[in-house]
Amino acid sequence: MANWFECKVKYEKLQEKGNVKKVSEPYLVDALSFTEAEARITEEQRPFISGEFTVAAIKPTKIAEIFWNEAGDRWYLVKVAFITIDEKTAAEKRSISQILVQAANFKHALETFEEGMKGTMADYEIVQINETPIMDVYKMKVVE
């Protein structure tokens, strides 16, 4: 299971009008610790940022799974309630999970989520879908 950390990277970005602006952009990395998350985001961002940058913040997320779709350039957070029935009390119990979905737009995010959930035996209900400010997501690199 992946441990996803949100890393905020601060740097000076050249704007379309030619001026330079300080920005703080969030990225997601799969890492085992805060230290590894910082090392991974530094390694991933170094080729893309000219000049200096800092990793301003790192925080663990509660993302349970990611549904990838290479056609998408945005990231949507889907809060889903999995519904179970308590055998003793027959009461309905909901447990909330967060799933990140890569998509081109809101409709595409919903379609990608539903495609990812095909074949699941669990009853679920979509609670919320929001576009996130996440710029990119970096999976763990498998060394063979």
Side-chain angles (χ1 to χ4, degrees):
M1 186 172 152
N3 291 320
W4 295 102
F5 288 85
E6 182 180 306
C7 301
K8 292 225 180 192
V9 177
K10 285 188 177 186
Y11 66 100
E12 291 184 347
K13 185 175 188 176
L14 184 61
Q15 303 295 304
E16 289 179 14
K17 295 178 182 177
N19 57 328
V20 177
K21 181 180 178 185
K22 272 199 169 206
V23 295
S24 178
E25 296 177 336
Y27 295 87
L28 222 56
V29 296
D30 182 10
L32 298 173
S33 66
F34 285 86
T35 304
E36 183 183 356
E38 182 176 19
R40 293 244 5 259
I41 195 63
T42 301
E43 173 190 339
E44 295 288 355
Q45 289 301 296
R46 188 170 282 128
F48 301 109
I49 300 174
S50 60
E52 292 186 27
F53 66 93
T54 59
V55 179
I58 300 173
K59 67 179 181 180
T61 68
K62 294 183 180 179
I63 294 171
E65 195 169 348
I66 296 181
F67 293 159
W68 304 88
N69 188 324
E70 295 301 319
D73 61 347
R74 298 181 188 158
W75 295 95
Y76 292 83
L77 189 63
V78 179
K79 288 188 181 176
V80 59
F82 288 99
I83 303 164
T84 56
I85 305 294
D86 187 316
E87 292 178 15
K88 294 179 183 175
T89 63
E92 195 175 89
K93 182 182 175 192
R94 295 169 177 262
S95 57
I96 302 291
S97 286
Q98 296 182 5
I99 298 175
L100 194 66
V101 178
Q102 184 179 21
N105 55 45
F106 183 86
K107 182 180 178 197
H108 189 227
L110 179 59
E111 291 168 357
T112 302
F113 172 78
E114 289 176 340
E115 182 66 30
M117 293 300 288
K118 275 188 180 172
T120 185
M121 301 298 284
D123 291 330
Y124 67 89
E125 183 178 282
I126 297 172
V127 177
Q128 190 175 44
I129 301 177
N130 290 320
E131 184 176 353
T132 70
I134 293 170
M135 301 301 288
D136 210 347
V137 177
Y138 299 106
K139 302 178 199 179
M140 183 67 70
K141 291 180 181 174
V142 179
V143 179
E144 295 179 18

